[in-house]
Amino acid sequence: MNDMRIVKRDVDMNDIKISAKDVQVYYGDTHAIKDVNVEIKDKTVTAFIGPSGCGKSTFLRCLNRMNDTIDICRVTGKIEIEGEDIYDKRVDPVQLRAKVGMVFQKPNPFPKSIYDNIAYGPRIHGLARSKADLDDIVEKSLRRGAIWNEVKDRLHAPGTGLSGGQQQRLCIARAIATEPEVLLMDEPCSALDPIATAQVEELIDELRENFSVVIVTHSMQQAARVSQKTAFFHLGNLVEYGETGQIFTNPQDPRTESYITGRIG
Amino acid sequence: MPALWLFITVLVLGLAGFILGRARVMKDADGDIRKLHSLPNYYGSNVMLSAIIPSLGLLVLWLIVQPMIIQANVASHIPTENYADSGALNLLMSDVRRVADGLDIAVSQGALTPHAAQNLTGTDDVRGILGRLGVALGTDVEDDILTAAQEYRIKSNIGGWIMTVAVIAAAILGFAMALKVTNKDHRARNSVEKVVLALLIGAASLAVLTTVGIVFSLIFNTIEFFKLYPAADFFFGTTWAPSFGGGSELGILPLFWGTFYISIISLLVAVPIGLFAAVYLSEYAGPKTRGIAKPLLEVLAGIPTIVYGLFALLTVGPLLVGMFGKDGSFGVNWMQGGSAVITAGLVMGVMLIPFISSLSDDIINSVPQSMRDGSLGLGATKSETIKQVILPAALPGIVGAILLAASRAIGETMIVVLGAGAAARLSMNPFEAMTTVTTRIVSQLTGDADFSSPEALVAFALGMTLFVITLCLNIVALVIVRKYREQYD
């Protein structure tokens, strides 16, 4: 743990972006998430840490209703994004997901060209009025995804032909292209080598300027490096939530302490 | 000794070998299985197999080779002026065999003494004698045929005895040699497993060899046909008018057009319906619906095509005539009879639906879930995801499925026999009767034509053409499907 660069970060008094109250998630008979209350701030990187199976990915997927695609999954409680209940009947999950982008554990570029991968979201949401507009969005997204220089000469080559790290940055660029307000990342670096991980982490730090980023990670070093706020999940409970520096240096709950010192998990 | 008895003798020897081999090794190991290299049954099997395999192999070889040698030998007794070519000689030789077999039967039933049978001459009423025994001969038996038949009998008889001795000797030799090496350190399992391996390889190669055999039989007859009929006229002729009196016009184009046209219509029916069904089953249907609907759809694939043919002939044809025919509900008088391209095409399309839907369903299901998540996570709707991500990702596989269905459509026979009519014509009108390559193969070979005439041999040329086309389609389909598989594994 001594290689962690825990620096005091200036967490301003940002607005609350997402607030979850008494969230319960059931997979069939399994109670996967129990009474989770959390408030996630805007323009902040929030990390979810915890041992495997603790529910952090499940909770993340609640935030853009990706769990709707799983038949046996049931969510109760209230999750609000900017004061709007996303589980309200009037909310269309499709519109919600355009607002809350997601990057997955395994890079999953579509079997299309790099250009079409990025243009996919803007096209279906009608964000571009002309071809030039779309070209603009693609270039801007690829630049923000920190991959423009590597792919600008082969925009029409298949996205599946890139390396793993490039694919993941492509997927991040693809998620940003739809101009979401929140970016959810489900272990975005677990399939990447250290160099690609460093690039993606740097990227996450830059994304903080424009988005609220929630990242699930297995690596505590990563959580410490990229996040301002950290939530520790254990067995479906949110055990502790607070500023990253505090969680890692002065945890309040004994379970958090055991986990970050490597005794459980 | 007849081959059947010989076979049983060898089997009995083998069984004895099994028991003896097992007993011998158990004695060698003082009854302690742990001292053996292999389990006791392997030692028994080893002795049994070494007794059976070489001797039965010899038996089979002998049964194949002996008649060929004897036939070549006996054929020299028939004067060359009696036959014109090898085909006529074959006919004469089959007469010789019938007479020889008939005489054998006569002797075994006591109608003739062995001595009398040997001394028959052409003046005796051989045909009458054999006819009373149930062996019918086409003509009176001539002298040289009779001589040849006698010769045939003698040689077969001698050959049979040598075979019996040789086969039993081989069995005993194998038996003895295997038993001799049977001791507790002998690696019996390894040799038995080698035999099993050979068996498996044999089974695998049989299918391949059969294909090769089919291709060769087609090729030889096709070459024969092209000697009698110019290939250019066959491939580019626009008239199909076989007449068994000679002077036929055998152009493949009208038949090929019929095949092509009917296949196209069937695919136009089957591809959209099958594909939509596959999308519904794999993306929208719940597990319960899917569990019921998919097997039901696949039942369609199990219906024999002749039943589809009946359906075309009795139901769909009249129904279409009722709509498009004279005094039909559309009042258009386009259709003269129930047999038409459209009838066969529609019914064949129904037949192909389960093919396309089942294969495409599997392919769509094999598109990784991460693709769906990725698209849904960007705010795409389910239908946008299917249209823009899943179907493009599955497209190579779907194309493969369609090509496989197309090769089925091209090779389909019974539906077109009953549904499409028999007139060979080049026309664009789907309400007219047309005919296909497959139905013409049936009618050319089931007619009364001389087998060496171009009218009959054309069937092989047609079959060869069809084979090449479907083979190409299948290869293309397999290549596409394989390429697709590599993408995600």
Side-chain angles (χ1 to χ4, degrees):
Chain A
M1 285 284 150
N2 46 15
D3 64 326
M4 292 192 321
R5 296 170 287 131
I6 300 169
V7 286
K8 177 78 184 143
R9 289 183 174 83
D10 49 329
V11 183
D12 308 326
M13 285 304 293
N14 290 325
D15 306 328
I16 304 289
K17 188 75 184 174
I18 305 172
S19 98
K21 289 188 194 85
D22 300 327
V23 174
Q24 321 275 347
V25 180
Y26 303 87
Y27 284 118
D29 295 330
T30 320
H31 196 171
I33 298 278
K34 298 160 194 158
D35 286 326
V36 169
N37 291 286
V38 71
E39 291 187 331
I40 292 167
K41 295 191 169 181
D42 200 9
K43 306 218 188 306
T44 307
V45 178
T46 306
F48 290 174
I49 60 169
S52 291
C54 67
K56 53 195 189 302
S57 286
T58 300
F59 184 68
L60 188 77
R61 290 168 67 96
C62 289
L63 299 181
N64 69 345
R65 293 186 59 176
M66 277 304 277
N67 284 332
D68 289 16
T69 60
I70 299 167
D71 292 330
I72 55 165
C73 182
R74 198 158 52 82
V75 181
T76 64
K78 202 168 192 182
I79 300 176
E80 289 179 342
I81 292 184
E82 294 193 323
E84 193 186 357
D85 183 1
I86 62 168
Y87 278 88
D88 192 282
K89 287 229 170 9
R90 283 169 304 176
V91 171
D92 187 344
V94 169
Q95 286 173 312
L96 171 72
R97 289 180 202 138
K99 224 160 56 171
V100 184
M102 186 153 189
V103 175
F104 297 86
Q105 185 170 359
K106 224 180 103 200
N108 57 350
F110 302 136
K112 300 168 180 280
S113 72
I114 292 169
Y115 184 95
D116 287 335
N117 260 286
I118 304 294
Y120 180 78
R123 273 191 186 132
I124 57 177
H125 297 301
L127 297 182
R129 267 182 299 279
S130 63
K131 176 83 174 70
D133 233 11
L134 193 62
D135 288 349
D136 247 23
I137 294 177
V138 170
E139 181 178 341
K140 204 175 78 192
S141 308
L142 285 171
R143 278 188 195 284
R144 281 158 85 184
I147 192 181
W148 170 253
N149 287 330
E150 288 154 70
V151 300
K152 64 180 176 209
D153 299 324
R154 45 169 174 159
L155 286 178
H156 295 282
T160 42
L162 297 171
S163 75
Q166 289 174 324
Q167 286 190 9
Q168 192 63 301
R169 276 178 288 149
L170 179 70
C171 292
I172 295 173
R174 184 177 70 187
I176 328 176
T178 51
E179 296 288 335
E181 296 167 19
V182 180
L183 199 56
L184 308 178
M185 299 182 147
D186 190 355
E187 296 180 45
C189 300
S190 67
L192 304 184
D193 67 22
I195 296 169
T197 302
Q199 287 166 329
V200 170
E201 283 179 7
E202 205 174 309
L203 174 60
I204 291 170
D205 205 48
E206 287 164 20
L207 293 176
R208 181 160 66 94
E209 287 174 21
N210 300 298
F211 309 99
S212 160
V213 179
V214 185
I215 176 170
V216 165
T217 175
H218 267 298
S219 152
M220 283 174 282
Q221 287 92 332
Q222 185 172 62
R225 282 194 298 263
V226 301
S227 70
Q228 286 79 52
K229 301 276 263 181
T230 297
F232 171 63
F233 285 79
H234 188 235
L235 300 176
N237 295 302
L238 176 63
V239 175
E240 193 166 347
Y241 177 55
E243 295 199 9
T244 301
Q246 191 215 325
I247 294 268
F248 281 97
T249 52
N250 186 20
Q252 305 298 307
D253 193 286
R255 286 172 291 178
T256 317
E257 193 187 353
S258 308
Y259 182 70
I260 61 172
T261 53
R263 262 178 283 148
I264 56 170
Chain B
M1 199 187 289
L4 178 66
W5 280 106
L6 205 50
F7 180 68
I8 292 173
T9 314
V10 170
L11 282 191
V12 169
L13 258 174
L15 205 65
F18 182 85
I19 297 165
L20 280 179
R22 197 177 188 283
R24 185 184 159 99
V25 81
M26 287 305 280
K27 204 177 147 208
D28 193 34
D30 305 322
D32 184 358
I33 286 183
R34 279 175 299 176
K35 285 187 188 161
L36 296 176
H37 169 269
S38 318
L39 288 172
N41 280 349
Y42 280 114
Y43 292 93
S45 306
N46 187 33
V47 177
M48 179 170 76
L49 291 174
S50 12
I52 288 179
I53 292 174
S55 53
L56 286 190
L58 186 66
L59 177 64
V60 169
L61 207 65
W62 201 291
L63 287 176
I64 294 171
V65 173
Q66 178 180 302
M68 296 198 320
I69 293 175
I70 291 179
Q71 185 148 338
N73 235 316
V74 170
S76 60
H77 287 262
I78 298 175
T80 38
E81 63 266 22
N82 282 16
Y83 54 88
D85 53 26
S86 62
L89 177 61
N90 268 335
L91 285 175
L92 284 178
M93 283 311 298
S94 73
D95 271 353
V96 169
R97 276 197 304 276
R98 285 178 74 83
V99 173
D101 291 346
L103 289 178
D104 282 340
I105 294 172
V107 171
S108 67
Q109 294 191 352
L112 287 171
T113 61
H115 186 71
Q118 268 173 30
N119 291 324
L120 285 171
T121 61
T123 48
D124 296 318
D125 182 17
V126 179
R127 188 183 180 193
I129 297 170
L130 296 185
R132 280 191 290 281
L133 294 166
V135 180
L137 294 177
T139 54
D140 280 330
V141 180
E142 286 165 30
D143 251 344
D144 40 3
I145 300 267
L146 191 62
T147 326
Q150 298 289 17
E151 183 81 15
Y152 189 91
R153 286 187 62 212
I154 294 167
K155 290 202 162 138
S156 312
N157 207 4
I158 297 173
W161 277 110
I162 301 177
M163 176 180 76
T164 308
V165 173
V167 168
I168 292 184
I172 292 176
L173 196 69
F175 181 101
M177 272 167 52
L179 198 62
K180 188 160 167 272
V181 295
T182 299
N183 60 44
K184 65 180 166 48
D185 294 325
H186 179 60
R187 303 194 164 190
R189 176 166 43 79
N190 305 35
S191 17
V192 172
E193 278 173 358
K194 255 181 216 147
V195 173
V196 173
L197 179 67
L199 201 73
L200 298 178
I201 293 175
S205 27
L206 199 65
V208 178
L209 289 179
T210 314
T211 316
V212 174
I214 290 173
V215 172
F216 271 101
S217 83
L218 280 177
I219 287 179
F220 288 133
N221 285 299
T222 306
I223 292 172
E224 202 69 10
F225 168 71
F226 283 135
K227 278 185 198 154
L228 299 169
Y229 194 87
D233 288 0
F234 172 71
F235 284 116
F236 303 111
T238 54
T239 316
W240 173 265
S243 82
F244 288 119
S248 328
E249 285 188 78
L250 303 170
I252 195 178
L253 285 183
L255 307 186
F256 194 70
W257 170 245
T259 297
F260 183 70
Y261 202 1
I262 292 175
S263 305
I264 289 290
I265 290 181
S266 69
L267 288 177
L268 283 180
V269 173
V271 170
I273 297 180
L275 216 50
F276 289 160
V279 167
Y280 171 72
L281 283 180
S282 59
E283 295 295 319
Y284 289 99
K288 249 189 205 160
T289 327
R290 195 181 139 84
I292 298 168
K294 203 175 178 212
L296 270 184
L297 205 58
E298 278 164 2
V299 164
L300 274 182
I303 297 176
T305 55
I306 185 78
V307 177
Y308 280 109
L310 288 176
F311 180 60
L313 184 69
L314 300 176
T315 314
V316 178
L319 193 77
L320 288 172
V321 171
M323 282 152 67
F324 299 103
K326 198 166 184 274
D327 305 324
S329 43
F330 292 146
V332 283
N333 193 13
W334 284 347
M335 212 169 160
Q336 314 306 327
S339 293
V341 168
I342 185 119
T343 314
L346 287 179
V347 175
M348 205 192 284
V350 173
M351 179 193 84
L352 294 178
I353 288 172
F355 256 96
I356 294 188
S357 74
S358 178
L359 281 172
S360 311
D361 177 55
D362 292 343
I363 289 157
I364 291 174
N365 269 327
S366 73
V367 173
Q369 180 63 28
S370 65
M371 292 286 144
R372 292 182 186 86
D373 284 349
S375 175
L376 293 174
L378 287 170
T381 63
K382 203 159 189 172
S383 70
E384 283 166 344
T385 303
I386 292 166
K387 266 185 300 203
Q388 301 192 24
V389 175
I390 295 175
L391 287 184
L395 193 65
I398 291 172
V399 170
I402 291 171
L403 288 181
L404 282 180
S407 70
R408 280 266 320 202
I410 289 171
E412 175 49 43
T413 311
M414 285 336 285
I415 293 176
V416 277
V417 165
L418 294 177
R425 51 163 79 89
L426 274 165
S427 153
M428 286 300 290
N429 185 354
F431 297 103
E432 264 185 283
M434 283 187 209
T435 191
T436 66
V437 178
T438 48
T439 55
R440 287 311 96 188
I441 293 178
V442 174
S443 64
Q444 292 313 105
L445 282 182
T446 49
D448 281 336
D450 176 4
F451 213 74
S452 52
S453 71
E455 283 76 22
L457 284 173
V458 71
F460 294 98
L462 291 174
M464 192 70 206
T465 317
L466 212 53
F467 178 80
V468 170
I469 292 171
T470 47
L471 187 73
C472 291
L473 272 178
N474 279 339
I475 290 175
V476 172
L478 283 179
V479 167
I480 291 176
V481 169
R482 192 165 300 165
K483 206 171 167 187
Y484 163 76
R485 290 243 165 86
E486 283 167 357
Q487 224 171 38
Y488 295 115
D489 286 351

